[in-house]
Amino acid sequence: MIEVRNLTFAYGKGKQALHGLDFTVEDGEIFGFLGPNGSGKSTTQKILTGILKGHGGRVSLFGQDITTARSQAFFQTIGVLFEFPYLYANLSAVDNLNYFASFYPREQRRAVGEVLERLDLKPDAWHKPVASYSKGMRQRVSMARALISSPRLLFLDEPTSGLDPAGAVLFRSIIQQERAKGTTVFLTTHNMMDADLLCDRVAFIVGGRLVALDTPKQLKEEQSSRQVTVDYLYQGRRETRTLAAQALEAGLPFPCDELIGLHTQEPSLEDVFIQYTGRGLS
């Protein structure tokens, strides 16, 4: 679906932003692209979506080189949710979506009302100007704009930004549903929970270089201390012990009247990111 080989980009002399990136994204995969501010995430996504030109190396989507695949039909297969809502503030949600849908073949478009319902935008807001919307409401319309064309490839930049917890859960569910239909998703985010719950694989980028690429599970296991904390009751007292996971293979190596819980000491995905890069995401 996406193939990137030796991707480089500079904004000017001495301002190298990308240093030879190599990665692929498979059909139907949710691929996370994670890094702190200024790491090259947005530059990479702009190149992949055809917004930014003048890169070095090779980038291909659907087997076509991005520098030569400039046809309308090519870009009609791509949906994009930008970090900041790209909507006409004086138009309503319905008018915005009808306008953007008009750029796609009729058989490719989804019904506006159906998409807005799916994104839980209340019907009484559909015909009000977007300028009157909260940030979360604008994010819902922006996601609807990305989905209205039934894209084969979906670029999502901070999709759960501005959403309350229920909205974030809804968006994750929708992204998973799109993947189940065969859509490929390229996800850039600072939200490590989104990345951990959604992504088949994640890439860490820092200073325009990839420093790690694997499944979230594998990355966490590689950095795990492989220790387990055991909470239990013995002779009426609550006790806690931490021991190597391997020590539990033959059962508990200490007397116990009642087992309360087992807790692995696996690091979070953000812990792993910091271990790889020495930096947080913000």
Side-chain angles (χ1 to χ4, degrees):
M1 177 60 75
I2 299 175
E3 184 176 4
V4 175
R5 292 289 176 249
N6 194 31
L7 177 61
T8 60
F9 187 83
Y11 284 101
K13 190 174 182 180
K15 295 181 180 179
Q16 195 74 22
L18 302 177
H19 302 268
L21 305 188
D22 286 285
F23 63 89
T24 59
V25 181
E26 303 299 328
D27 286 353
E29 181 178 24
I30 300 179
F31 185 86
F33 202 63
L34 314 177
N37 292 334
S39 61
K41 297 192 309 296
S42 295
T43 298
T44 302
Q45 180 162 286
K46 287 176 181 177
I47 293 171
L48 295 181
T49 53
I51 296 172
L52 197 58
K53 302 176 184 178
H55 64 274
R58 185 175 187 274
V59 175
S60 63
L61 278 64
F62 313 110
Q64 301 180 62
D65 193 304
I66 192 71
T67 57
T68 56
R70 312 300 300 180
S71 69
Q72 184 178 19
F74 176 83
F75 288 107
Q76 284 175 340
T77 61
I78 298 171
V80 182
L81 171 66
F82 298 97
E83 181 178 3
F84 303 103
Y86 181 62
L87 301 165
Y88 291 101
N90 60 320
L91 299 180
S92 68
V94 169
D95 289 339
N96 265 283
L97 295 179
N98 281 330
Y99 173 71
F100 288 116
S102 69
F103 293 105
Y104 299 91
R106 186 173 299 277
E107 64 274 10
Q108 191 177 325
R109 305 175 201 166
R110 296 178 179 175
V112 169
E114 179 182 320
V115 177
L116 289 176
E117 285 181 357
R118 187 179 177 198
L119 286 158
D120 198 27
L121 186 72
K122 304 306 180 188
D124 60 0
W126 290 9
H127 297 282
K128 294 180 179 179
V130 167
S132 67
Y133 289 4
S134 67
K135 184 175 181 181
M137 293 168 69
R138 293 187 188 201
Q139 192 72 352
R140 284 172 162 79
V141 181
S142 294
M143 178 62 107
R145 178 186 180 276
L147 297 176
I148 198 72
S149 61
S150 306
R152 289 176 56 200
L153 174 58
L154 189 57
F155 288 93
L156 302 178
D157 194 355
E158 303 293 350
T160 59
S161 175
L163 299 175
D164 58 23
V169 170
L170 173 65
F171 268 44
R172 292 187 202 114
S173 175
I174 289 172
I175 293 167
Q176 289 168 332
Q177 290 167 18
E178 290 301 307
R179 190 264 297 276
K181 295 176 182 177
T183 304
T184 302
V185 180
F186 188 92
L187 173 69
T188 56
T189 183
H190 284 93
N191 188 320
M192 296 302 268
M193 181 180 292
D194 285 349
D196 204 355
L197 292 174
L198 289 171
C199 294
D200 298 298
R201 292 185 301 148
V202 295
F204 294 160
I205 181 172
V206 178
R209 293 180 171 87
L210 291 185
V211 296
L213 198 167
D214 212 326
T215 67
K217 185 176 188 296
Q218 186 64 32
L219 288 169
K220 289 185 292 184
E221 286 181 355
E222 287 174 356
Q223 299 296 323
S224 174
S225 63
R226 292 177 171 78
Q227 291 186 318
V228 177
T229 298
V230 183
D231 293 322
Y232 63 99
L233 293 177
Y234 180 60
Q235 296 182 346
R237 296 195 309 273
R238 180 169 181 148
E239 305 282 352
T240 298
R241 290 198 188 189
T242 299
L243 59 159
Q246 190 175 9
L248 296 177
E249 290 180 355
L252 294 176
F254 49 80
C256 168
D257 295 329
E258 181 182 347
L259 182 64
I260 298 174
L262 298 173
H263 310 280
T264 64
Q265 301 300 303
E266 182 179 89
S268 69
L269 193 58
E270 185 158 12
D271 292 333
V272 174
F273 182 89
I274 293 171
Q275 287 174 26
Y276 269 101
T277 68
R279 297 174 61 184
L281 279 168
S282 59

